[in-house]
Amino acid sequence: MQPSDRRLANAIRALAMDAVEAANSGHPGMPMGMADAATALFTRHLKFDAADPHWPDRDRFILSAGHGSMLIYALLYLTGYERPTMDDIRRFRQLGSPTAGHPENFELPGVEVTTGPLGQGVAMAVGMAIAERHLNAIYGDSIVDHRTFVIAGDGDLMEGINHEAVGLAGNLRLGRLIVLWDDNNITIDGSTELSRNEDVVERHRAAQWHTVECDGLDADDVSRAIDEAVADPRPSLIRCRTIIGFGAPNKQGTAATHGAALGKDEVEAARKELGLDEEEFTVPDDVLTAWRAAGKRGAVEHALWKERMEESGRKDEFLARINGSVSDAWLHPYLDKLFKDGLKPVATRKASEMALEAINAAIPATVGGSADLTGSNNTKTKAMEPLTAENYAGRYIYYGIREFGMAAAMNGMALHGGVIPYGGTFLVFTDYARPAIRLSALQRARVVYVMTHDSIGLGEDGPTHQPVEHLQSLRAMPALELYRPADAVETAECWALALQSDGPSILALTRQNLRPVRSDAAAENLSARGAYRLKSAENPRKVIFIATGSEVEIALDAAAELEGQGIGADVVSMPCTERFDAQPRDYREDVLPDVSNREILRVSIEAGTTYGWERYTGLHGLRIGIDRFGVSAPAPDAYAFFGLTPGKIAQRVVDFMKQRGIQ
Ligand SMILES: Cc1ncc(C[n+]2csc(CCOP(=O)(O)OP(=O)(O)O)c2C)c(N)n1
Ligand SMILES: [Mg+2]
């Protein structure tokens, strides 16, 4: 006899309680409250095949309420994914176990995205739903035809990013996106009444979503609501009324179940209440058999999909696209043409657009966009059509003024596969997108952030818009590559590197024109080493300038002044510190010889905070930059005000050398 849905759900509850108890850490309340809804979703609706978690046409499931990680670990185990094993679940939250505190996409196939920072799961799901519709428009229903399901908590829907995500999804009419809201009236501090009186459902309706309510503790009712959501062409919010910690007789319905082990006595009481085995980490045979059958439900559909794939004549192309490898074959022809046409002064944001013309023509997977600064970020190339509800085949997204929503959506698109997203805003507003940039890095999502107006060089908009600390603070983020190219050639090289990366990149680009600093075609991509000697000292070398982006031309001019005084100066262009740090010691030693600053003075020049540049100048080197907020003025005046001119810099270097007794 088929076990009841409630018994299937209770297997989730048991594993959640046991794992949290064993770790004495974790969140049992959410999985226990949503166990019935998750059972309905996984046994009746979600299209997946546990034997192949990478099946490209699987439905995507995102546990936005990532603190309830035991919900997804239990589901993956029960439906028969290779991992987590029961041993992994016993080692919940322990060092080296894939059952990490919060679900991590790089630990377990089946965990589509990393969640935990509330709100971002829903926002990434929007990106997944965009990627699905986009690929569907290109490859058709027989190859791409899936949905994106989300389980979200009160916290996910309270976060500011939710407004951005819901707005985006409504405007793009992402009917394949279905959010199940765990409406349990509880957050950590207690009742949601403490902090919320908005009508969450009406808010979604106002954003052109379909909404439906159900008893989240009744799998049949949840299933009815999912059917309704699937049938509706709008994105759907399913309000699942639940009780946090359901089944724990003394604690359910209270914040006490949110984020702590229930305790031995309460677990025992819950076992009785739910009719569970006394032994920990066990699942009754009939229950496990039913769950494993649910895990194979999609196998037939998967096989049929494979057949359609074979017949489509587009198998190799599609799989290559999903696989995501890109070539930089566009780069050399592009650079050749650049040199042939004659190099002119150009802002790197414009140089980026020029490179993108070649990139978007050569790489069909790119999908561009901007958070309402298209004309400033230069992100839209000529042939790009907008991606809209009427034309999902378009390759340009008007994200609106939603930097965080854009960044999170791009993470979802990148992790869906088949799409390489890039998107722009002003560099200063990386602060608005930063939590998603961090998740790009953590998740190894190939997203390219096109961040223009990268310094006081943006001029008149003034200190609110002039990034100062941004470059260094972004460089401090692990697994993120920040590129600050100096001219059109470096810009193209950096684009090539960003596209071939297996993680996120930021391109920091200027508003103002820059003079070309690279006039010869190099066989190798010089930016790939992160830093390279652009100019060698002519006189005996006493100074090494290390500069990035717009300050490279200033360094070249300052070096020329020093050479005129008989002081030899190298100029090192350093478009990417992270890449330089990863070079072999010999190379780093050659570019920045490890001698004392008395022998060779190292001078960094960057129109941003000097904090951290001692990494390359040494403690006794000279760091030239801006350690305060900017000024509202035309760019040349702002540069002069901060002493970022060749003459002032050359003078500072000479004075510094005298003061330090450097001959
Ligand atoms: C951005 C962010 N802020 C704060 C937290 C810490 N946090 C984790 S769960 C939670 C409460 C969420 O409430 P709800 O979504 O209703 O979850 P429930 O208590 O119902 O499981 C908070 C504040 C977080 N994970 N992410
Ligand atoms: Mg809640």
Side-chain angles (χ1 to χ4, degrees), residues 339-369:
F339 288 120
K340 203 172 116 248
D341 292 352
L343 296 163
K344 297 175 206 65
V346 65
T348 48
R349 62 176 170 144
K350 179 68 187 168
S352 166
E353 181 186 347
M354 288 153 50
L356 277 170
E357 288 287 354
I359 291 164
N360 288 337
I363 304 171
T366 52
V367 172

Short mmCIF file of all heavy atoms in Angstrom, two decimals, residues 339-369:
data_model
loop_
_atom_site.label_atom_id
_atom_site.label_comp_id
_atom_site.label_asym_id
_atom_site.label_seq_id
_atom_site.Cartn_x
_atom_site.Cartn_y
_atom_site.Cartn_z
N PHE A 339 43.86 48.14 -34.49
CA PHE A 339 45.16 48.73 -34.86
C PHE A 339 45.11 49.29 -36.28
O PHE A 339 45.65 50.35 -36.56
CB PHE A 339 46.28 47.69 -34.74
CG PHE A 339 46.62 47.36 -33.31
CD1 PHE A 339 46.49 46.06 -32.82
CD2 PHE A 339 47.08 48.35 -32.45
CE1 PHE A 339 46.80 45.76 -31.50
CE2 PHE A 339 47.39 48.06 -31.13
CZ PHE A 339 47.25 46.77 -30.65
N LYS A 340 44.44 48.56 -37.16
CA LYS A 340 44.38 48.98 -38.56
C LYS A 340 43.63 50.31 -38.69
O LYS A 340 44.04 51.21 -39.42
CB LYS A 340 43.71 47.89 -39.40
CG LYS A 340 44.08 47.96 -40.87
CD LYS A 340 43.56 46.76 -41.65
CE LYS A 340 42.56 47.20 -42.69
NZ LYS A 340 41.20 46.82 -42.52
N ASP A 341 42.53 50.42 -37.96
CA ASP A 341 41.72 51.64 -38.05
C ASP A 341 42.40 52.84 -37.40
O ASP A 341 41.96 53.97 -37.55
CB ASP A 341 40.34 51.43 -37.40
CG ASP A 341 39.50 50.44 -38.19
OD1 ASP A 341 39.93 50.07 -39.29
OD2 ASP A 341 38.43 50.04 -37.69
N GLY A 342 43.44 52.57 -36.63
CA GLY A 342 44.14 53.66 -35.95
C GLY A 342 43.55 53.87 -34.57
O GLY A 342 42.33 54.04 -34.41
N LEU A 343 44.41 53.84 -33.56
CA LEU A 343 43.93 53.97 -32.18
C LEU A 343 43.62 55.43 -31.87
O LEU A 343 44.39 56.32 -32.22
CB LEU A 343 45.00 53.44 -31.22
CG LEU A 343 45.29 51.95 -31.37
CD1 LEU A 343 46.61 51.60 -30.71
CD2 LEU A 343 44.16 51.12 -30.77
N LYS A 344 42.50 55.62 -31.23
CA LYS A 344 42.12 56.99 -30.85
C LYS A 344 41.82 57.01 -29.35
O LYS A 344 41.53 55.97 -28.77
CB LYS A 344 40.84 57.39 -31.60
CG LYS A 344 40.98 57.43 -33.11
CD LYS A 344 39.62 57.71 -33.74
CE LYS A 344 39.47 57.18 -35.15
NZ LYS A 344 39.51 55.73 -35.31
N PRO A 345 41.85 58.22 -28.77
CA PRO A 345 41.44 58.30 -27.37
C PRO A 345 39.97 57.87 -27.25
O PRO A 345 39.14 58.26 -28.07
CB PRO A 345 41.59 59.79 -27.02
CG PRO A 345 42.55 60.32 -28.02
CD PRO A 345 42.32 59.52 -29.28
N VAL A 346 39.71 57.06 -26.24
CA VAL A 346 38.35 56.56 -26.08
C VAL A 346 38.14 56.21 -24.60
O VAL A 346 39.08 55.79 -23.92
CB VAL A 346 38.13 55.34 -27.02
CG1 VAL A 346 39.00 54.17 -26.63
CG2 VAL A 346 36.68 54.91 -27.06
N ALA A 347 36.94 56.43 -24.12
CA ALA A 347 36.63 56.00 -22.75
C ALA A 347 36.58 54.48 -22.73
O ALA A 347 36.16 53.86 -23.72
CB ALA A 347 35.29 56.57 -22.31
N THR A 348 36.99 53.88 -21.63
CA THR A 348 36.97 52.41 -21.64
C THR A 348 35.55 51.86 -21.66
O THR A 348 35.31 50.75 -22.10
CB THR A 348 37.79 51.80 -20.50
OG1 THR A 348 37.45 52.43 -19.27
CG2 THR A 348 39.29 51.95 -20.75
N ARG A 349 34.57 52.66 -21.18
CA ARG A 349 33.18 52.18 -21.33
C ARG A 349 32.82 52.08 -22.80
O ARG A 349 32.09 51.18 -23.21
CB ARG A 349 32.21 53.10 -20.59
CG ARG A 349 32.18 54.51 -21.10
CD ARG A 349 31.12 55.35 -20.38
NE ARG A 349 31.27 56.75 -20.72
CZ ARG A 349 30.28 57.60 -20.88
NH1 ARG A 349 29.04 57.21 -20.71
NH2 ARG A 349 30.50 58.86 -21.19
N LYS A 350 33.34 53.00 -23.60
CA LYS A 350 33.09 52.96 -25.04
C LYS A 350 33.90 51.82 -25.68
O LYS A 350 33.40 51.10 -26.54
CB LYS A 350 33.49 54.31 -25.66
CG LYS A 350 33.31 54.42 -27.15
CD LYS A 350 31.83 54.40 -27.54
CE LYS A 350 31.65 54.33 -29.06
NZ LYS A 350 30.23 54.03 -29.40
N ALA A 351 35.12 51.65 -25.19
CA ALA A 351 35.94 50.54 -25.69
C ALA A 351 35.27 49.21 -25.39
O ALA A 351 35.34 48.26 -26.17
CB ALA A 351 37.33 50.60 -25.05
N SER A 352 34.60 49.16 -24.25
CA SER A 352 33.87 47.94 -23.89
C SER A 352 32.74 47.69 -24.88
O SER A 352 32.52 46.57 -25.33
CB SER A 352 33.33 48.10 -22.45
OG SER A 352 32.37 47.12 -22.17
N GLU A 353 32.04 48.74 -25.24
CA GLU A 353 30.96 48.59 -26.23
C GLU A 353 31.52 48.12 -27.57
O GLU A 353 30.94 47.25 -28.22
CB GLU A 353 30.24 49.93 -26.40
CG GLU A 353 29.09 49.86 -27.40
CD GLU A 353 28.47 51.23 -27.68
OE1 GLU A 353 28.75 52.20 -26.94
OE2 GLU A 353 27.71 51.32 -28.65
N MET A 354 32.68 48.66 -27.93
CA MET A 354 33.29 48.25 -29.19
C MET A 354 33.65 46.76 -29.15
O MET A 354 33.39 46.01 -30.09
CB MET A 354 34.56 49.09 -29.45
CG MET A 354 34.27 50.54 -29.85
SD MET A 354 35.60 51.73 -29.43
CE MET A 354 37.04 50.96 -30.10
N ALA A 355 34.22 46.34 -28.03
CA ALA A 355 34.55 44.92 -27.88
C ALA A 355 33.28 44.07 -27.90
O ALA A 355 33.23 43.00 -28.50
CB ALA A 355 35.33 44.69 -26.59
N LEU A 356 32.25 44.59 -27.25
CA LEU A 356 31.00 43.83 -27.18
C LEU A 356 30.37 43.62 -28.55
O LEU A 356 29.71 42.61 -28.79
CB LEU A 356 30.00 44.52 -26.24
CG LEU A 356 30.17 44.23 -24.75
CD1 LEU A 356 29.29 45.16 -23.91
CD2 LEU A 356 29.85 42.76 -24.44
N GLU A 357 30.59 44.56 -29.45
CA GLU A 357 30.07 44.35 -30.81
C GLU A 357 30.65 43.05 -31.38
O GLU A 357 29.93 42.25 -31.97
CB GLU A 357 30.42 45.53 -31.73
CG GLU A 357 29.65 46.81 -31.44
CD GLU A 357 28.18 46.77 -31.87
OE1 GLU A 357 27.75 45.78 -32.49
OE2 GLU A 357 27.45 47.73 -31.54
N ALA A 358 31.93 42.85 -31.16
CA ALA A 358 32.56 41.63 -31.66
C ALA A 358 32.13 40.41 -30.84
O ALA A 358 31.84 39.34 -31.37
CB ALA A 358 34.08 41.78 -31.61
N ILE A 359 32.07 40.60 -29.52
CA ILE A 359 31.73 39.48 -28.62
C ILE A 359 30.30 38.99 -28.89
O ILE A 359 30.06 37.79 -29.05
CB ILE A 359 31.87 39.93 -27.16
CG1 ILE A 359 33.35 40.17 -26.82
CG2 ILE A 359 31.24 38.91 -26.21
CD1 ILE A 359 33.56 40.97 -25.54
N ASN A 360 29.36 39.93 -28.93
CA ASN A 360 27.97 39.52 -29.08
C ASN A 360 27.70 38.88 -30.45
O ASN A 360 26.79 38.06 -30.57
CB ASN A 360 27.04 40.71 -28.82
CG ASN A 360 27.00 41.08 -27.35
OD1 ASN A 360 27.29 40.25 -26.48
ND2 ASN A 360 26.67 42.33 -27.06
N ALA A 361 28.49 39.28 -31.43
CA ALA A 361 28.35 38.65 -32.74
C ALA A 361 28.92 37.23 -32.71
O ALA A 361 28.40 36.32 -33.34
CB ALA A 361 29.05 39.49 -33.80
N ALA A 362 29.99 37.04 -31.94
CA ALA A 362 30.68 35.75 -31.95
C ALA A 362 30.11 34.75 -30.94
O ALA A 362 30.21 33.54 -31.13
CB ALA A 362 32.17 35.96 -31.67
N ILE A 363 29.54 35.26 -29.85
CA ILE A 363 29.10 34.39 -28.76
C ILE A 363 27.60 34.58 -28.53
O ILE A 363 27.19 35.54 -27.87
CB ILE A 363 29.90 34.70 -27.47
CG1 ILE A 363 31.40 34.57 -27.73
CG2 ILE A 363 29.47 33.79 -26.31
CD1 ILE A 363 32.28 35.06 -26.59
N PRO A 364 26.78 33.66 -29.04
CA PRO A 364 25.33 33.88 -28.96
C PRO A 364 24.77 33.77 -27.53
O PRO A 364 23.64 34.16 -27.29
CB PRO A 364 24.75 32.78 -29.86
CG PRO A 364 25.84 31.79 -30.05
CD PRO A 364 27.14 32.50 -29.85
N ALA A 365 25.57 33.26 -26.60
CA ALA A 365 25.05 33.03 -25.24
C ALA A 365 25.00 34.30 -24.39
O ALA A 365 24.38 34.32 -23.34
CB ALA A 365 25.90 31.98 -24.53
N THR A 366 25.65 35.36 -24.84
CA THR A 366 25.65 36.55 -23.99
C THR A 366 24.27 37.21 -23.97
O THR A 366 23.58 37.29 -24.98
CB THR A 366 26.68 37.60 -24.49
OG1 THR A 366 26.43 37.84 -25.87
CG2 THR A 366 28.10 37.10 -24.30
N VAL A 367 23.89 37.63 -22.76
CA VAL A 367 22.66 38.40 -22.58
C VAL A 367 23.04 39.63 -21.76
O VAL A 367 23.46 39.51 -20.62
CB VAL A 367 21.56 37.58 -21.86
CG1 VAL A 367 20.37 38.47 -21.52
CG2 VAL A 367 21.10 36.41 -22.73
N GLY A 368 22.91 40.79 -22.38
CA GLY A 368 23.34 42.02 -21.73
C GLY A 368 22.21 42.71 -21.01
O GLY A 368 21.05 42.28 -21.06
N GLY A 369 22.57 43.79 -20.35
CA GLY A 369 21.54 44.57 -19.68
C GLY A 369 22.16 45.68 -18.86
O GLY A 369 23.39 45.80 -18.76
#
